[in-house]
Amino acid sequence: MDISIIVPLYNEAESLPKLYEWIARVMKEYKFSYEVIFVNDGSTDESWQVIQSLNAQDDKAIHGICFRRNYGKSAALYCGFKAAQGEVVITMDADLQDSPDEIPELYRMITEEGYDLVSGWKQKRYDNKLTKNLPSKLFNATARRVTGIQLHDMNCGLKAYRREVVKNIEVFSEMHRYIPYLAKNAGFTKIGEKVVQHRKREFGTSKFGLNRFVNGYLDLMTLWFLNKFGKQPMHFFGLVGSLMFMIGFVAVIVVGGMKLYALSHHVSAMLVGVNPYFHIAILMMILGCMLFLAGFLAELMIRNSPSRNDYLIKEEI
Ligand code: UDP
Ligand code: MG
C-alpha cells in the first residue's frame, strides 16, 4: 500500500464526508493505493456514525478507531501510527484546514527525495491572529533553538512520514507538537518542510486554547532534558550536586577556621550559629546531597526500564 492517511478527530462530524470525498478524489487522480484511518478521539457528536457510514461505503479504504473517551490528539496519532500499513504515512487534521491536494507532493518528497519526515508549513494562516498566529511564531522560534530543527511550523497537523519513522517513535501525553524532535532523537534526521495551503475552519470550533503554549513550553523542556540527560541523569544531578556540596563544604571549613583563628588569637568574633555564611554553606551541602541522591535514584530507575537497551538498528550485513 502506498499511503496511509491518519485523521485524528474530536467532534468534527460535519467536516468528515467532505474531507473523505476530497481525499478519495486526489488518491484516484494519482492512482495511489491508500487507506484512511479515522481516529475518533471520544467525540460526543455524530462523528462515529459518520465514520461508520463511510466505512460501509468502502470498507477496504476506510478504517475507524473509536476511543471510549477523549484522550487527546497524541493518543489518537499513536493508535493511528500503530495501525498504519502504507509505505508513506500522512497525518492531517479533520477540520478541512489542511488540504488533501498537498498529499501527492509530500509523498514524492518522501519516496523520491529521501526525506524521513516532511512537515507542512502554513505560511499563510487562516486562524485568529492574536491567539494563534503571533504566539505560534514565538513558539516556533523557541522550538527551533531548543531542538535544532529548522522548521517554521513544527506543530502543523499535516505531515508525511516514512513508515519506519512512525513505527519507531512513541507519541504520548501531548508530545504530538514535537514529533519532528522525537524523530530526530530516534535518528531520523532528514527532516524537510513544504509550504502548504491553509484554510479557514468551516465547521465547529478549535479544540486548543491558549494554554497550549504553556503546556507546549513545559513539554519542550521535558523533551530537551530527556534527550540530554534521560539516559544518564547522574551527569546532571551528580555534577550539580557534587559541586554544591563541595562549595558548601569548603565554606563550612572557612567559617569554622576563621572562628578558631579568632578564638586562638583572642579576637572577638560572632557565634558560628548566627553567621549567615554558615547557614548558606550548610544549605548548599544538604541540597548538594539531595541532588546527588536524586540523580542516583534516577540511575537506579533507568536500570530497571525495559527500554534501557533499545537501539534502532539501521542496517546489518
Ligand atoms: N483533536 C483530537 N483530539 C483532541 C483535540 C483535537 O483528535 O482532543 C483533533 C481535531 O479534531 C482536529 C485536530 O486534532 O482534527 C486539530 O485540532 P484543531 O483544529 O482544533 O486545532 P487548531 O487547528 O485550532 O490548531
Ligand atoms: Mg484546525
Side-chain angles (χ1 to χ4, degrees):
M1 187 184 305
D2 299 326
I3 301 183
S4 294
I5 300 170
I6 299 172
V7 184
L9 62 114
Y10 178 54
N11 292 346
E12 311 277 7
E14 297 102 320
S15 312
L16 297 178
K18 197 168 160 192
L19 177 71
Y20 179 66
E21 196 195 309
W22 192 352
I23 291 175
R25 186 159 19 97
V26 176
M27 294 295 112
K28 291 223 173 69
E29 188 183 331
Y30 286 82
K31 301 198 171 59
F32 286 127
S33 57
Y34 72 102
E35 63 178 353
V36 181
I37 304 174
F38 290 105
V39 189
N40 174 24
D41 184 12
S43 298
T44 49
D45 67 354
E46 307 290 294
S47 296
W48 184 241
Q49 283 84 330
V50 174
I51 294 166
Q52 280 176 320
S53 73
L54 287 174
N55 168 267
Q57 289 168 29
D58 185 352
D59 64 349
K60 288 235 165 41
I62 304 175
H63 306 300
I65 298 172
C66 185
F67 287 171
R68 205 163 266 290
R69 68 171 185 84
N70 178 246
Y71 287 107
K73 193 174 175 184
S74 290
L77 287 177
Y78 170 79
C79 290
F81 284 162
K82 241 174 44 173
Q85 298 187 329
E87 207 187 311
V88 171
V89 177
I90 307 272
T91 58
M92 63 190 300
D93 291 353
D95 54 2
L96 292 165
Q97 289 196 277
D98 300 329
S99 158
D101 289 335
E102 305 287 353
I103 296 174
E105 175 61 13
L106 289 170
Y107 177 83
R108 198 194 60 77
M109 286 175 81
I110 300 276
T111 51
E112 287 174 28
E113 290 181 30
Y115 283 103
D116 294 318
L117 189 166
V118 181
S119 179
W121 171 14
K122 308 180 286 270
Q123 200 168 27
K124 183 147 178 45
R125 283 185 77 148
Y126 294 91
D127 282 319
N128 185 321
K129 283 223 161 33
L130 215 59
T131 59
K132 282 254 162 90
N133 297 9
L134 282 177
S136 157
K137 286 223 166 72
L138 200 74
F139 164 87
N140 276 298
T142 317
R144 272 198 298 276
R145 273 208 79 95
V146 175
T147 64
I149 304 172
Q150 298 307 313
L151 290 180
H152 291 89
D153 192 1
M154 173 131 355
N155 187 17
C156 184
L158 181 56
K159 286 193 175 59
Y161 308 81
R162 180 187 306 290
R163 197 180 114 94
E164 199 193 347
V165 178
V166 305
K167 299 295 178 190
N168 286 300
I169 55 175
E170 194 174 326
V171 198
F172 70 103
S173 168
E174 286 184 41
M175 299 302 178
H176 60 267
R177 299 199 177 96
Y178 300 108
I179 298 182
Y181 192 36
L182 297 180
K184 181 188 167 200
N185 290 345
F188 300 102
T189 47
K190 191 146 190 235
I191 295 172
E193 182 167 60
K194 175 182 186 310
V195 174
V196 295
Q197 308 165 31
H198 189 234
R199 310 169 73 242
K200 260 206 159 58
R201 207 180 226 287
E202 280 183 42
F203 309 101
T205 50
S206 170
K207 310 299 183 298
F208 297 102
L210 269 179
N211 64 350
R212 59 158 55 178
F213 295 104
V214 180
N215 297 343
Y217 168 76
L218 293 173
D219 288 343
L220 185 61
M221 300 279 288
T222 306
L223 282 183
W224 178 81
F225 204 80
L226 271 179
N227 182 45
K228 218 158 158 62
F229 300 111
K231 284 254 150 81
Q232 51 282 101
M234 207 52 175
H235 289 190
F236 175 77
F237 291 103
L239 180 73
V240 180
S242 306
L243 277 177
M244 282 179 78
F245 183 86
M246 257 145 50
I247 294 171
F249 188 72
V250 171
V252 158
I253 291 186
V254 170
V255 169
M258 279 164 71
K259 179 72 184 179
L260 284 178
Y261 179 85
L263 280 179
S264 61
H265 288 74
H266 303 289
V267 191
S268 77
M270 71 166 90
L271 287 171
V272 168
V274 295
N275 186 344
Y277 291 113
F278 173 72
H279 292 281
I280 295 173
I282 294 283
L283 190 67
M284 294 278 274
M285 285 172 72
I286 294 176
L287 284 181
C289 279
M290 284 170 74
L291 281 175
F292 191 91
L293 206 66
F296 186 63
L297 287 177
E299 289 282 348
L300 287 182
M301 280 159 86
I302 287 172
R303 276 169 186 259
N304 279 316
S305 118
S307 63
R308 66 187 176 272
N309 262 329
D310 279 356
Y311 310 111
L312 283 186
I313 291 168
K314 193 172 170 195
E315 270 173 87
E316 275 181 77
I317 49 169

